[in-house]
Amino acid sequence: MTDYSVGWPSVPSTGKGEAMSTITAPAGGRKAQITSVAARLFNEQGFHETSMEDVAKAVGIKKPTLYHHVKSKAQIVAWIHDECVEAVGPPLESYLKSDFTASEILRRVAMDIFRLLEDRPGYLRVYFEHHRDLDPRSRSRIRKKRDEYWANVRRVIERGNESGEFNVSNPTLASMAFFGMCNWGYQWYRPGGSRSASEIGDYVCSIFLAGALAPGTDRTPDPRR
């Protein structure tokens, strides 16, 4: 059986008697370290079950020092949301300015989403499950970016219809279906399998395209990828 590196993420025990290890975070300053570490903790033991004390210990600093850098978990959630939208939004805008076909743009979007799952574990779980934990100002700002991203994907599908590449009667519903296939990956994708994040994203998109492409349309991916 082909291994697509799927399965429910393992959730380690978080009993009070266990020692919490310090998580090594990527370079990029204290803010980046706090964001990365907190996302992993939120993913592993739950957002509401993770305290600021837990985050401080995992980063390797004292709790008062943590509060020098960040005010609350809600602020960390906002940082995570910002990183997610910045990781996938600008690339999509650049694809729209290119001469890529609509199919190729959707392939790239799907691969971007799965690469985000691979490169930043826990980020998309926070993004999808904890937007209500954002403060009102951040929620409004990020909702605008999310809506723009969704509208751009719908625009890609509409472009495919206009060129004759797609045969989609309801681009809005099709956009929702596309995101449903890609975004649910945070529930089952685990890095380290026999298939890369890009390969899985490409495969998921190919299933969507099987229903979207007009009869006779070439399904060959763009060799420039």
Side-chain angles (χ1 to χ4, degrees), residues 25-93:
R30 185 65 80 186
K31 176 182 175 181
Q33 183 186 27
I34 292 170
T35 306
S36 176
V37 168
R40 288 178 182 272
L41 290 177
F42 296 160
N43 187 51
E44 292 172 357
Q45 61 189 43
F47 174 77
H48 297 292
E49 291 72 24
T50 301
S51 67
M52 291 292 275
E53 181 72 29
D54 293 335
V55 176
K57 287 181 179 179
V59 172
I61 59 179
K62 299 294 184 181
K63 187 176 178 180
T65 304
L66 177 64
Y67 277 109
H68 175 73
H69 296 284
V70 60
K71 297 177 180 179
S72 64
K73 288 198 295 182
Q75 186 175 10
I76 298 175
V77 171
W79 290 351
I80 292 171
H81 276 70
D82 283 332
E83 287 201 31
C84 287
V85 295
E86 287 303 314
V88 296
L92 174 54
E93 291 175 2

Side-chain angles (χ1 to χ4, degrees), residues 33-194:
Q33 183 186 27
I34 292 170
T35 306
S36 176
V37 168
R40 288 178 182 272
L41 290 177
F42 296 160
N43 187 51
E44 292 172 357
Q45 61 189 43
F47 174 77
H48 297 292
E49 291 72 24
T50 301
S51 67
M52 291 292 275
E53 181 72 29
D54 293 335
V55 176
K57 287 181 179 179
V59 172
I61 59 179
K62 299 294 184 181
K63 187 176 178 180
T65 304
L66 177 64
Y67 277 109
H68 175 73
H69 296 284
V70 60
K71 297 177 180 179
S72 64
K73 288 198 295 182
Q75 186 175 10
I76 298 175
V77 171
W79 290 351
I80 292 171
H81 276 70
D82 283 332
E83 287 201 31
C84 287
V85 295
E86 287 303 314
V88 296
L92 174 54
E93 291 175 2
S94 71
Y95 304 153
L96 285 166
K97 295 175 183 176
S98 73
D99 61 351
F100 291 135
T101 64
S103 297
E104 182 60 26
I105 293 175
L106 291 181
R107 287 183 190 278
R108 289 170 179 258
V109 168
M111 290 189 291
D112 287 343
I113 292 172
F114 278 89
R115 279 196 292 261
L116 182 57
L117 285 168
E118 181 175 61
D119 296 341
R120 303 179 193 184
Y123 279 60
L124 284 181
R125 180 178 295 278
V126 174
Y127 185 81
F128 291 122
E129 295 185 1
H130 296 290
H131 58 277
R132 292 181 180 84
D133 293 293
L134 292 163
D135 65 86
R137 179 176 296 181
S138 295
R139 189 183 305 126
S140 177
R141 172 176 54 80
I142 292 168
R143 182 186 294 118
K144 181 179 179 181
K145 292 183 178 181
R146 290 169 72 132
D147 290 348
E148 288 173 352
Y149 186 67
W150 184 87
N152 277 337
V153 166
R154 183 181 61 187
R155 184 177 160 201
V156 172
I157 294 175
E158 291 171 342
R159 178 190 292 185
N161 273 345
E162 292 166 1
S163 69
E165 181 184 358
F166 289 169
N167 183 22
V168 175
S169 61
N170 191 327
T172 296
L173 186 57
S175 300
M176 293 178 181
F178 175 78
F179 278 125
M181 296 176 70
C182 295
N183 292 351
W184 193 247
Y186 86 92
Q187 288 279 9
W188 51 260
Y189 174 75
R190 288 187 303 190
S194 60

